[in-house]
Amino acid sequence: MENSTKYSYMELLEKTKDSIVLGTAQGLIHWDMETMMPPNAVEQRSLQLELLSKIGHQMSTPPEIGKLLQQIQTSPGYSELGEVEKRNVYLINKSYIEQVSLPEKLVSEMAKQETITVNTWKKAKAKKDYNLLKPELKKLFDLSMQAAEILMEIKQTKTPYEALIDQFEPKMTTQKITDTFDKLQAGLRPLLDRIQEANKQPDTKALHQPVPIEIQRQISQLITRTLGYDTASPTANGRIDETEHPFTSGSYQDVRITTHYYVNDYTNSIFSVLHESGHALYELNVNPKWRYQPIGGTCSYGIHESQSRFYENIVGRSKEFWMGFLPKLQEIAPVIAKVSLDEFIHAVNRVERSKIRIASDEVTYNLHIIIRYELERDLFGGKINVDELPQAWNEKYAKYMGVKIDNDSEGVMQDTHWYSGLYGYFPSYALGNIYSGQINNALTEVLPNWRNQLTQGNLRELNSWLKENIHHPSDLYDPEDLIKKATGKNLDPQPFVQYLQNKYNELGF
């Protein structure tokens, strides 16, 4: 690399580092908003986030960055850049072009409105009153549509919604998602019907024994320790807090998760901690050499979800995991001491058409996501509007799940995403399941004994493979390229469908 190109490249990295550091601070403030912030601080927090978004936009769009990008990309030395350097330049250029196209006023207004809308959602959900939420949601949707229409031109996508998806799953098109989800449904529906038609269904009584919250907190620490996510030692990089809706926040050396405890539903927290720990391990295992560089982030939200869903389900609902973990759980919570392994495994793998996404099983979960994907697509395609969302939601749940929604809190208001401005996020969940099925196949080929190791609570080889093949590459590749490098296969729902078919065959369905 010639010296002038090298100097320009290093200066470019230095200028973008501050934006990345600021982003980590914004993440911490969002975390505080969901965990520790007093109820009356919403207006103040909305102003703080509005200002930080404005500063972040200014830091990522100065003319100097544009000049440096042009100097590097037109320099004779550009061809001598390595794969890492070229990827950094590509990511910075992509972000710069997109951010420059968005008016600063729009960016700051969106940040402020997201804070207001998500707080209104909490109140409306508690009161089961969508009408209370609707005015703020309309404002947020209008702002998001403005941004989507601008980004559609910049990203050269076919629709505004596709431009939003690209923020979470780069280069993923709605056509590919629709085709993939159609294949996924075609494989899952016969399995769902077969399971539902079985004469004997698992008894879930064992999952609803009263377990005190303090005991559940101890269980959470045991789970994170078993998975290798340190939340308790003097050198911990993580922590567990309590919120209405579980989430993961942070990066590098500070990655935090949350959960929600229910006295009479102790496994709800168990599986949310497994899920969020998968997210946390990914964030903690990105390549430390690339810290505070664009390439040093995670690959995509779909890949992120592949890790959370892998630990939650492929590991966490396996018989092998519970062979070693159930005795430890029973020691901490004697109220379930008489539950047998088979009884427990069948209970946590019960399949049921339900109303609530985060409490759903592996088979029906994807139908929840497909419903949300289709509603988002129709909302940004102008086929429905904010006023019609509840009715459209209820109709799809009747059609796809065969359930009746009794109120909007268990319907259109059950998730936080739309009220936090996260449009285009939902497809990532089902894509994550699909990726996890492909990862499961690849793991079994190279580590045929990894499931047996779970019986001893040993996840070292599993964690090492995931770190090397999924986590450590960070954002060096786009998601479909990463999954092909890790598994040798293109995006394909069949391995995930086959995994479920094999599991439920073994469970006797």
Side-chain angles (χ1 to χ4, degrees):
M1 187 193 314
E2 65 178 36
N3 283 341
S4 62
T5 306
K6 181 179 180 180
Y7 292 144
S8 295
Y9 174 74
M10 296 306 295
E11 187 178 351
L12 183 65
L13 285 189
E14 191 59 35
K15 286 189 175 295
T16 56
K17 178 181 177 180
D18 288 346
S19 295
I20 295 171
V21 174
L22 180 67
T24 65
Q26 285 176 288
L28 186 59
I29 288 177
H30 274 285
W31 169 86
D32 175 77
M33 183 171 71
E34 298 296 333
T35 55
M36 303 292 181
M37 187 183 78
N40 200 37
V42 173
E43 182 181 356
Q44 181 175 323
R45 182 55 46 89
S46 72
L47 293 173
Q48 292 166 343
L49 288 170
E50 180 185 24
L51 177 59
L52 285 171
S53 293
K54 183 178 180 179
I55 293 170
H57 187 260
Q58 291 171 347
M59 290 173 65
S60 61
T61 57
E64 291 81 6
I65 289 182
K67 292 175 183 176
L68 285 168
L69 283 165
Q70 185 172 4
Q71 288 173 12
I72 293 167
Q73 291 172 314
T74 59
S75 165
Y78 178 75
S79 61
E80 298 176 27
L81 293 179
E83 182 182 30
V84 169
E85 289 81 9
K86 285 183 177 177
R87 180 66 174 179
N88 266 327
V89 171
Y90 165 78
L91 292 171
I92 294 170
N93 189 63
K94 182 175 187 290
S95 174
Y96 180 76
I97 292 171
E98 291 170 7
Q99 290 300 311
V100 165
S101 72
L102 293 171
E104 182 181 292
K105 185 173 185 294
L106 176 59
V107 172
S108 59
E109 283 181 353
M110 285 177 66
K112 182 178 181 180
Q113 188 59 41
E114 285 164 7
T115 307
I116 293 169
T117 307
V118 78
N119 184 65
T120 307
W121 163 72
K122 292 175 184 177
K123 296 175 182 177
K125 185 177 180 182
K127 294 182 178 181
K128 301 179 181 179
D129 185 0
Y130 180 74
N131 287 326
L132 178 64
L133 173 62
K134 202 162 52 175
E136 301 301 342
L137 178 58
K138 285 181 177 178
K139 293 176 190 175
L140 182 57
F141 170 74
D142 288 343
L143 292 169
S144 299
M145 177 59 93
Q146 288 179 47
E149 288 174 338
I150 293 169
L151 291 173
M152 178 181 71
E153 298 297 325
I154 300 300
K155 296 172 184 278
Q156 296 183 325
T157 60
K158 293 182 179 179
T159 65
Y161 180 51
E162 206 166 85
L164 297 178
I165 291 172
D166 182 75
Q167 297 179 110
F168 303 102
E169 204 66 12
K171 298 185 180 177
M172 184 63 68
T173 65
T174 50
Q175 187 61 57
K176 179 165 283 190
I177 292 174
T178 300
D179 291 345
T180 303
F181 285 3
D182 286 347
K183 292 176 185 176
L184 182 62
Q185 284 196 75
L188 291 179
R189 285 190 179 280
L191 175 62
L192 175 58
D193 291 341
R194 191 180 85 212
I195 295 170
Q196 293 279 277
E197 289 166 5
N199 291 327
K200 188 176 181 181
Q201 295 294 329
D203 184 353
T204 59
K205 183 172 60 178
L207 308 184
H208 300 287
Q209 300 301 312
V211 176
I213 302 296
E214 188 52 46
I215 297 297
Q216 292 191 49
R217 292 191 182 110
Q218 294 178 39
I219 294 169
S220 294
Q221 292 291 346
L222 180 59
I223 292 170
T224 57
R225 189 162 64 247
T226 300
L227 266 55
Y229 168 46
D230 186 0
T231 59
S233 83
T235 57
N237 290 327
R239 56 180 287 141
I240 308 172
D241 293 279
E242 297 165 36
T243 52
E244 173 66 24
H245 193 102
F247 68 94
T248 300
S249 178
S251 54
Y252 306 137
Q253 297 157 297
D254 181 359
V255 183
R256 310 173 184 204
I257 70 170
T258 69
T259 189
H260 191 91
Y261 298 112
Y262 299 92
V263 171
N264 293 313
D265 188 4
Y266 64 94
T267 58
N268 185 290
S269 174
I270 285 174
F271 288 104
S272 77
V273 171
L274 284 163
H275 181 100
E276 302 304 336
S277 294
H279 282 307
L281 288 168
Y282 186 12
E283 289 286 352
L284 289 167
N285 285 333
V286 296
N287 194 328
K289 292 190 300 185
W290 300 335
R291 196 170 289 163
Y292 304 116
Q293 297 180 27
I295 198 175
T298 53
C299 175
S300 77
Y301 284 75
I303 298 296
H304 233 309
E305 290 301 332
S306 78
Q307 299 309 283
S308 58
R309 300 292 290 173
F310 188 91
Y311 280 99
E312 176 190 358
N313 295 319
I314 295 179
V315 171
R317 295 184 196 270
S318 70
K319 185 173 184 177
E320 293 87 353
F321 178 78
W322 286 102
M323 286 172 67
F325 200 80
L326 185 58
K328 298 176 182 178
L329 180 63
Q330 291 171 325
E331 186 177 342
I332 297 174
V335 70
I336 59 170
K338 294 182 180 179
V339 178
S340 72
L341 176 63
D342 282 347
E343 181 184 4
F344 188 85
I345 289 299
H346 277 78
V348 299
N349 284 290
R350 182 184 176 104
V351 174
E352 190 172 13
R353 300 175 194 268
S354 64
K355 304 174 185 180
I356 308 299
R357 174 185 65 87
I358 60 172
S360 63
D361 56 83
E362 286 183 90
V363 179
T364 61
Y365 183 91
N366 299 285
L367 298 178
H368 289 272
I369 298 305
I370 290 168
I371 288 171
R372 288 155 175 77
Y373 162 67
E374 291 182 355
L375 289 172
E376 282 188 339
R377 185 187 60 193
D378 290 349
L379 185 64
F380 281 89
K383 294 181 179 179
I384 57 173
N385 58 43
V386 168
D387 289 327
E388 297 166 331
L389 262 179
Q391 182 181 348
W393 179 288
N394 297 350
E395 288 173 354
K396 283 191 180 290
Y397 264 82
K399 177 182 177 182
Y400 284 44
M401 302 292 285
V403 297
K404 180 179 180 295
I405 303 299
D406 293 320
N407 62 73
D408 290 332
S409 291
E410 66 179 23
V412 73
M413 292 195 296
Q414 71 173 260
D415 295 311
T416 184
H417 302 62
W418 291 343
Y419 316 109
S420 303
L422 297 175
Y423 303 106
Y425 187 125
F426 275 121
S428 302
Y429 289 110
L431 290 169
N433 278 335
I434 292 167
Y435 293 144
S436 75
Q438 295 182 248
I439 290 168
N440 179 50
N441 272 15
L443 260 171
T444 304
E445 287 181 13
V446 298
L447 297 173
N449 197 43
W450 78 270
R451 284 185 173 275
N452 289 333
Q453 293 174 358
L454 293 181
T455 64
Q456 305 301 317
N458 179 4
L459 281 76
R460 287 189 296 274
E461 286 194 359
L462 163 64
N463 287 346
S464 179
W465 189 93
L466 290 172
K467 180 178 179 179
E468 180 181 350
N469 292 279
I470 304 295
H471 306 165
H472 215 57
S474 307
D475 199 5
L476 183 58
Y477 310 110
D478 289 323
E480 287 191 89
D481 294 330
L482 175 63
I483 209 66
K484 186 170 184 179
K485 285 181 178 291
T487 70
K489 306 289 183 182
N490 291 319
L491 176 65
D492 182 5
Q494 186 53 37
F496 177 69
V497 173
Q498 188 64 55
Y499 149 74
L500 288 177
Q501 289 172 341
N502 292 343
K503 169 186 272 194
Y504 284 94
N505 282 338
E506 292 174 6
L507 289 169
F509 292 96

